[in-house]
Amino acid sequence: MSNVTIVKGNLFDAPKGSIICHAVNCKGVWGAGIAKAFKDRYPVAFIFYSDMCSANGAGLLGSCLLLPSKDHVIGCLFTSANFGSKKDTVEEILDATREAIKDLIWQNTYPSSKPIYMCKINAGLFGVPWHLTQKILEEFPTQSFTVYEL
């Protein structure tokens, strides 16, 4: 049985107190797709994310930034150094995803772990076929992931 459960619905309706994740670039841009929806809903989180990118750039690749908000913890999974036509290759994105998920799980162990929810990360504007990212998530069988799709 898979540790990945796919549900129909809106990621922003995930239970309060949970972590809601999306894949992000290292350039400090949430300009389109679900990233734009995060920016519109969580403008203060966007500023913090953008500042982190300005200070650290591609050094963030393969890491996770957790940002508290009123209802959720926002999980920014740095899976591509760039975006648009300059986004990383599928293989690079998958490698960075593996490392970012490791970092997310590590950060989510203390003081107690929160449920992890996400959209089909990487499958939108990064153009990675979802089943490839799902295989990465399944490499962490002790962690469950709930994935929202519209």
Side-chain angles (χ1 to χ4, degrees):
M1 178 164 211
S2 178
N3 61 328
V4 178
T5 303
I6 298 177
V7 298
K8 296 277 187 200
N10 186 326
L11 175 61
F12 299 112
D13 293 333
K16 289 185 178 187
S18 61
I19 298 173
I20 56 173
C21 297
H22 66 128
V24 300
N25 61 69
C26 300
K27 295 291 185 181
V29 177
W30 287 355
I34 196 162
K36 176 79 166 74
F38 271 88
K39 181 179 180 181
D40 292 345
R41 284 182 182 262
Y42 305 107
V44 173
F46 170 73
I47 292 168
F48 190 81
Y49 152 80
S50 183
D51 288 349
M52 286 294 291
C53 290
S54 293
N56 299 288
L60 294 167
L61 190 62
S63 69
C64 175
L65 175 63
L66 295 178
L67 300 169
S69 72
K70 180 182 173 195
D71 295 327
H72 299 102
V73 176
I74 301 162
C76 301
L77 302 170
F78 290 93
T79 63
S80 181
N82 217 320
F83 62 97
S85 63
K86 296 182 180 182
K87 69 182 181 275
D88 294 356
T89 67
V90 168
E91 294 78 20
E92 291 168 330
I93 290 170
L94 291 171
D95 287 344
T97 298
R98 182 177 291 108
E99 296 306 311
I101 293 296
K102 283 181 192 174
D103 191 30
L104 166 63
I105 292 169
W106 182 82
Q107 289 186 59
N108 191 33
T109 58
Y110 182 81
S112 63
S113 64
K114 298 180 182 311
I116 298 174
Y117 295 81
M118 62 182 59
C119 56
K120 287 187 171 180
I121 59 170
N122 302 324
L125 296 173
F126 286 158
V128 177
W130 167 247
H131 72 277
L132 297 177
T133 296
Q134 183 171 336
K135 282 185 178 182
I136 300 293
L137 298 177
E138 290 171 346
E139 292 176 12
F140 303 93
T142 61
Q143 176 64 57
S144 63
F145 301 94
T146 302
V147 178
Y148 279 84
E149 68 178 0
L150 293 176

